[in-house]
Amino acid sequence: MSNHNVPEDLQTEIQAIRDQYKERLVSDKSKLTSLLDGLSLTNAQQRANEIHLILHSISGSAGTFGFEKISKEARRIDEKLKEAASHSEQDTVIKLISNDVTHFCQLLDGTGVDNASSSSQSPSTDKTPRKSNPSRSAHEGEVWLIEENEQLAAQFSKQLVNFNFKINTVTLKEALKLADKGGWPDATIIDMDGHPFNAKEDFKTLFTTTEEAPKGLIMLSENDTFAQRIKAAKIRATSFLKKPVDLSKLISHLEAVVNKEKSAQPRVMLIDDDKELCSLMKLKLESQGVQVSILHDVRNIVSELNEFRPELLLLDMEMPEYSGIDIALLVRQNVQFESLPIVYLSAERNLDKQTEALLFDADDFLVKPISNERLISSIRSRVQRARNLEQLISKDGLTGLLKHATIKEHAERELMRARREESPISIVMLDIDYFKRVNDTYGHSTGDTVIASLAALLRHRFRQTDIVGRYGGEEFLVILPNTQEHDAVKIVDAIRIAFSEMQFLADNQTFCCTLSAGCVCSNDLPAQIDASELVEAADKALYASKKNGRNQVSTRQ
């Protein structure tokens, strides 16, 4: 982050933390000087341990603040000291402390750390710009469809509008012109069989006129070959779908692309005894859209983890009272944190010790000092993999919705929350009418497409605060917090109409499906009712819809 790219307010905050760090180095020099006084064979080992803690901390943090020479020298002396101490060479230890540590204190003097306002060195920089006010594409929220076949384009547009996607059908020439002025949208669908693409061996040349390459690329083609897929990969397409395109698969890929752009900020808990380094890391990580919580008292770690719910734990390996391994094992003793990614952050460069540390329930080992760019990349990749794993565990493979057991847990949790807040909660049960007939007539593969399409529609039509799950087969359960019954019915009825208008293709035939739903609200039922009884009441309302002719929404009778 070179200074001309850093906002002035961020530069000021960084300089303030750096000045604090320089004051810390002055204090560390005084501690080292005191440890040199009265050094003898009887206290050499104890003082070597105290000096090690100081040097180890400096070696891991000084480079981050721009004191690379100090960092390297601290590491060199510390490694020599540890080597001598491990062989019980007391004379060598005393000589090292007397000579090397004395010279190190002189180095601190020569660097000017006594002058807290000095700017002789600059903090460690990186190339990552601040994202406090990130520039956004003028076409945010749009999906561009580059499709020459007007009939196919119209078909895609009609279907995708039902899922609340804002579709803009454009030619390649129009897309390049729009992107040059306002950037690319979150997602772009391109038919590779169209005229501008089918003869091209290298698609990269098509996008050289725009400042940045298109993002969220979804490529379509009848030609599902390695050569065609590698062409798509070379322009960094995230998805490749064979035509004719399965609507549910297209929706799924679009959701993955758009949600990646809108994904929640990673939550990171940082445990390190170096307060200035923690402050600087927090500042830089938050400037890149990462939520950071610094744990100051390790004794509160379980309650703090439960409160903040981090998606990654960034843990110093060596602290005065506890090692990183101690903390990692303590965290893993709690079942709810078994899958929490733990990354060690340490000045330790010995590969054998790094390997040993990773055996104790950690996922990665990053060596200090580390560039902000590398740290951000590591955090985002680890968090994304953890989110993907969590999705595999808690969500249904076909629909991407919560599984039966998970949605029931959410129902219990949300009902308890509603009671605490004295707010209403509505529960909706719905399923697809005559679904067995769909499977019998068109096959189970087509039936899966219908289920997946309804699931996608539910994800897009309900609010982000609503919770949707696949209850079983073609049946779905929806939880709508802070929602009265009449509002829930209105939302579900609009979804019912949209689903009835969707067209499905099987064996060159098009067909439509309908759904039935039952809706109940906690305010209309006894106060002592539990979540399972609320779900049962919604199921009875669904049965009433079925009994009264289907394709309708019923409430508690």
Side-chain angles (χ1 to χ4, degrees), residues 197-459:
F197 304 98
N198 57 15
K200 283 279 185 182
E201 289 299 322
D202 184 5
F203 289 168
K204 287 183 181 179
T205 58
L206 294 170
F207 304 113
T208 54
T209 59
T210 60
E211 187 175 341
E212 59 181 23
K215 54 186 177 180
L217 276 177
I218 299 175
M219 311 302 284
L220 316 178
S221 179
E222 293 179 350
N223 184 18
D224 187 4
T225 62
F226 174 82
Q228 193 78 327
R229 283 180 174 264
I230 204 69
K231 284 166 69 176
K234 283 181 178 294
I235 57 168
R236 302 299 181 254
T238 57
S239 302
F240 181 100
L241 297 174
K242 188 180 186 303
K243 297 190 301 186
V245 178
D246 183 321
L247 178 63
S248 62
K249 287 184 179 179
L250 177 59
I251 297 297
S252 177
H253 284 268
L254 264 177
E255 286 179 329
V257 166
V258 173
N259 289 341
K260 185 176 181 180
E261 291 294 322
K262 299 178 179 178
S263 58
Q265 295 179 336
R267 297 187 307 279
V268 175
M269 180 170 284
L270 178 59
I271 303 178
D272 196 315
D273 62 309
D274 192 319
K275 293 183 179 179
E276 291 78 21
L277 184 60
C278 279
S279 296
L280 184 62
M281 289 176 61
K282 185 176 191 293
L283 184 65
K284 288 192 171 185
L285 289 175
E286 288 181 340
S287 75
Q288 296 302 304
V290 178
Q291 294 183 56
V292 180
S293 173
I294 299 176
L295 181 64
H296 296 288
D297 188 347
V298 178
R299 291 170 297 182
N300 297 329
I301 187 167
V302 175
S303 60
E304 293 284 347
L305 287 171
N306 279 316
E307 177 71 21
F308 185 62
R309 304 302 298 178
E311 296 176 284
L312 183 139
L313 184 61
L314 203 55
L315 182 60
D316 187 21
M317 261 299 295
E318 191 166 342
M319 292 173 280
E321 295 183 69
Y322 315 99
S323 73
I325 293 174
D326 297 336
I327 303 302
L329 289 174
L330 184 149
V331 169
R332 296 296 192 223
Q333 290 169 5
N334 297 270
V335 177
Q336 68 268 38
F337 307 127
E338 282 183 338
S339 60
L340 174 66
I342 296 178
V343 175
Y344 290 130
L345 188 62
S346 174
E348 180 60 68
R349 298 201 171 197
N350 185 299
L351 291 178
D352 291 335
K353 291 187 177 181
Q354 290 181 20
T355 302
E356 180 186 5
L358 288 173
L359 294 175
F360 291 94
D361 293 315
D363 301 276
D364 203 355
F365 198 110
L366 301 177
V367 179
K368 300 177 186 176
I370 182 171
S371 71
N372 196 46
E373 191 174 36
R374 168 111 191 271
L375 183 59
I376 287 287
S377 176
S378 179
I379 287 173
R380 290 194 181 280
S381 63
R382 284 284 174 193
V383 168
Q384 189 58 52
R385 283 197 288 272
R387 288 177 176 178
N388 291 343
L389 179 60
E390 175 64 25
Q391 183 161 322
L392 288 172
I393 293 170
S394 64
K395 296 191 175 181
D396 172 64
L398 174 62
T399 64
L401 302 178
L402 295 175
K403 293 179 180 178
H404 178 91
T406 309
I407 189 67
K408 286 180 68 177
E409 290 174 3
H410 277 278
E412 293 171 2
R413 190 178 307 137
E414 291 302 320
L415 180 58
M416 287 189 289
R417 188 204 304 271
R419 283 177 176 156
R420 284 198 308 271
E421 298 175 356
E422 297 183 349
S423 61
I425 178 174
S426 288
I427 297 287
V428 178
M429 289 287 288
L430 57 88
D431 75 359
I432 301 168
D433 296 328
Y434 302 113
F435 184 71
K436 184 176 183 302
R437 187 183 300 172
V438 174
N439 277 338
D440 292 343
T441 305
Y442 304 107
H444 288 275
S445 178
T446 300
D448 285 349
T449 298
V450 174
I451 288 175
S453 299
L454 176 55
L457 186 64
L458 297 177
R459 280 196 300 272

Side-chain angles (χ1 to χ4, degrees), residues 428-557:
V428 178
M429 289 287 288
L430 57 88
D431 75 359
I432 301 168
D433 296 328
Y434 302 113
F435 184 71
K436 184 176 183 302
R437 187 183 300 172
V438 174
N439 277 338
D440 292 343
T441 305
Y442 304 107
H444 288 275
S445 178
T446 300
D448 285 349
T449 298
V450 174
I451 288 175
S453 299
L454 176 55
L457 186 64
L458 297 177
R459 280 196 300 272
H460 282 268
R461 287 302 187 94
F462 284 108
R463 304 165 301 183
Q464 287 188 341
T465 52
D466 299 330
I467 305 166
V468 188
R470 187 182 184 190
Y471 203 67
E474 71 277 14
E475 194 170 28
F476 300 85
L477 172 64
V478 187
I479 305 164
L480 293 89
N482 198 29
T483 306
Q484 297 284 2
E485 183 181 272
H486 63 273
D487 292 321
V489 170
K490 186 177 179 180
I491 296 169
V492 176
D493 203 49
I495 292 172
R496 178 190 64 80
I497 295 170
F499 183 65
S500 69
E501 294 173 348
M502 293 176 64
Q503 292 188 338
F504 300 97
L505 178 65
D507 300 327
N508 296 319
Q509 300 179 57
T510 59
F511 67 95
C512 298
C513 293
T514 60
L515 65 82
S516 296
C519 178
V520 296
C521 179
S522 58
N523 283 3
D524 302 323
L525 293 163
Q528 69 274 16
I529 193 171
D530 62 25
S532 62
E533 292 173 308
L534 196 59
V535 171
E536 185 179 348
D539 197 42
K540 288 180 179 178
L542 168 62
Y543 178 75
S545 290
K546 296 286 189 182
K547 185 178 179 181
N548 294 330
R550 293 178 167 81
N551 191 23
Q552 58 187 274
V553 182
S554 298
T555 56
R556 179 171 173 262
Q557 303 299 306

Side-chain angles (χ1 to χ4, degrees), residues 181-192:
K181 290 182 178 179
W184 292 90
D186 292 341
T188 302
I189 304 171
I190 296 178
D191 187 348
M192 296 174 70

